[in-house]
Amino acid sequence: MAANGKPRSIVNTETFPCVRCGLTVTATAPDGSRRNHCPSCLHSQHVLDRVEGGPSECRSRMIPISIAVLRTGDWMIIHRCTRCGELTSNPICGDDNQLILMRMAVRPLAQPPFPLEAFGDL
Amino acid sequence: MPRKNPARERPQRRKTTHHHGEPADAFRCVGCRLDVPMIAPGTAHRNHCPHCLTSLHVDHRIPGDRRAGCRGRMAALSVTVRPDGEWLIIHHCQSCGELSANRIAGDDNALALLRIAMRPLSDSRLPVNALLAL
Ligand SMILES: [Zn+2]
Ligand SMILES: [Zn+2]
Ligand SMILES: [Zn+2]
Ligand SMILES: [Zn+2]
């Protein structure tokens, strides 16, 4: 891992197995950024302690639950840990599964808590 | 409903004005300054403003949490759906970055909720190919 957290120009061949689908994932995305989730199923693992800033003891599976759009227009995936409930947000990568991303984006509108007809065309 | 954790029932600044010697059951929203009654339809307690959906970071879920006294403004970032179909708002603290998921209330501003839910779909960089494949 780069000590300063910046992407390295040299090819990084480090991999990790996805905790959900078992895919062997390269730790570095094509754009050079560091991955924290599987590009195929978008699941992650609770390996960072947000409070302490170091490694987490939890290491449980984290489920993608929501898409957030920042003011910059960047998409973030919100993950929730299946064991401790911790929420994290991480940028999407260029090769993330777009079908799953879109399913997550439309899911709330498919199950609205109020009739959408009342709003007409938005 | 019994009060399990009184701290969590005062998500925003409690008004100091008193009526008939009783503490006011309302708080002033840190986002839009609306005076909001504590009682919310459909939930045991309110944790965000029904008008602008803003919350206040006062959760004491983790004992000894050094951010428990944060009191930062928590903006509504996105929505998610639980397996039972209920919507949750993902709140993001503007001071410390903490995220939290909170149930919506029966009188939450439907248009504000819908705007947040629509954000990914109104993005100009929408992956249209993926949408067409649905
Ligand atoms: Zn996977
Ligand atoms: Zn965890
Ligand atoms: Zn408000
Ligand atoms: Zn905070």
Side-chain angles (χ1 to χ4, degrees), chain A residues 8-81:
Chain A
R8 285 183 167 180
S9 52
I10 58 166
V11 177
N12 189 336
T13 53
E14 191 187 337
T15 61
F16 63 87
C18 172
V19 286
R20 179 168 184 266
C21 72
L23 184 76
T24 300
V25 179
T26 57
T28 306
D31 64 359
S33 62
R34 185 137 188 110
R35 284 190 210 277
N36 87 308
H37 56 263
C38 169
S40 176
C41 72
L42 307 187
H43 282 241
S44 185
Q45 191 176 14
H46 192 183
V47 293
L48 282 179
D49 188 307
R50 217 190 62 79
V51 179
E52 303 296 334
S56 170
E57 304 288 303
C58 182
R59 302 195 66 80
S60 294
R61 188 161 55 92
M62 299 192 83
I63 302 178
I65 61 163
S66 180
I67 300 289
V69 182
L70 303 182
R71 286 181 207 285
T72 55
D74 292 329
W75 283 33
M76 307 291 282
I77 301 183
I78 310 295
H79 283 99
R80 191 190 59 232
C81 179

Side-chain angles (χ1 to χ4, degrees), chain B residues 29 31-34 49 51-54:
Chain B
C29 172
C32 69
R33 316 306 299 168
L34 183 74
C49 170
H51 177 65
C52 73
L53 310 180
T54 299

Side-chain angles (χ1 to χ4, degrees), chain B residues 12-56:
Chain B
Q12 294 210 0
R13 195 169 297 117
R14 200 174 176 91
K15 287 183 75 184
T16 49
T17 50
H18 291 234
H19 297 286
H20 314 294
E22 300 260 307
D25 284 324
F27 61 86
R28 180 159 289 173
C29 172
V30 295
C32 69
R33 316 306 299 168
L34 183 74
D35 286 328
V36 180
M38 277 295 181
I39 306 296
T43 56
H45 66 276
R46 228 188 249 289
N47 54 37
H48 55 264
C49 170
H51 177 65
C52 73
L53 310 180
T54 299
S55 188
L56 187 70

Side-chain angles (χ1 to χ4, degrees), chain A residues 65-105:
Chain A
I65 61 163
S66 180
I67 300 289
V69 182
L70 303 182
R71 286 181 207 285
T72 55
D74 292 329
W75 283 33
M76 307 291 282
I77 301 183
I78 310 295
H79 283 99
R80 191 190 59 232
C81 179
T82 51
R83 181 170 158 271
C84 72
E86 172 93 343
L87 297 172
T88 60
S89 106
N90 287 281
I92 62 166
C93 292
D95 59 350
D96 278 349
N97 188 326
Q98 297 211 326
L99 189 57
I100 298 182
L101 287 175
M102 287 311 302
R103 278 210 187 114
M104 259 201 289

Side-chain angles (χ1 to χ4, degrees), chain A residues 50-52 65-75 78-80 85-89 98-99 101-109 111-114 116 119 122, chain B residues 65-67 77-85 87-88 90 94 96-101 104 110-111 113-114 117-121 123 125-127 130-131 133-134:
Chain A
R50 217 190 62 79
V51 179
E52 303 296 334
I65 61 163
S66 180
I67 300 289
V69 182
L70 303 182
R71 286 181 207 285
T72 55
D74 292 329
W75 283 33
I78 310 295
H79 283 99
R80 191 190 59 232
E86 172 93 343
L87 297 172
T88 60
S89 106
Q98 297 211 326
L99 189 57
L101 287 175
M102 287 311 302
R103 278 210 187 114
M104 259 201 289
V106 301
R107 194 179 297 146
L109 294 163
Q111 295 173 278
F114 37 75
L116 292 179
F119 296 94
L122 277 176
Chain B
D65 185 347
R66 68 170 86 129
R67 295 157 296 136
L77 179 67
S78 66
V79 295
T80 182
V81 187
R82 293 201 307 205
D84 66 3
W87 276 29
L88 303 174
I90 307 290
Q94 306 298 291
C96 73
E98 172 98 341
L99 297 166
S100 69
I104 62 170
L111 186 57
L113 285 171
L114 201 51
M118 291 287 290
R119 260 182 218 160
L121 302 174
D123 192 312
R125 279 171 282 178
L126 181 79
L131 187 60
L134 285 177

Side-chain angles (χ1 to χ4, degrees), chain B residues 57 70 72 93 95-96 98:
Chain B
H57 192 186
C70 173
C93 180
S95 296
C96 73
E98 172 98 341

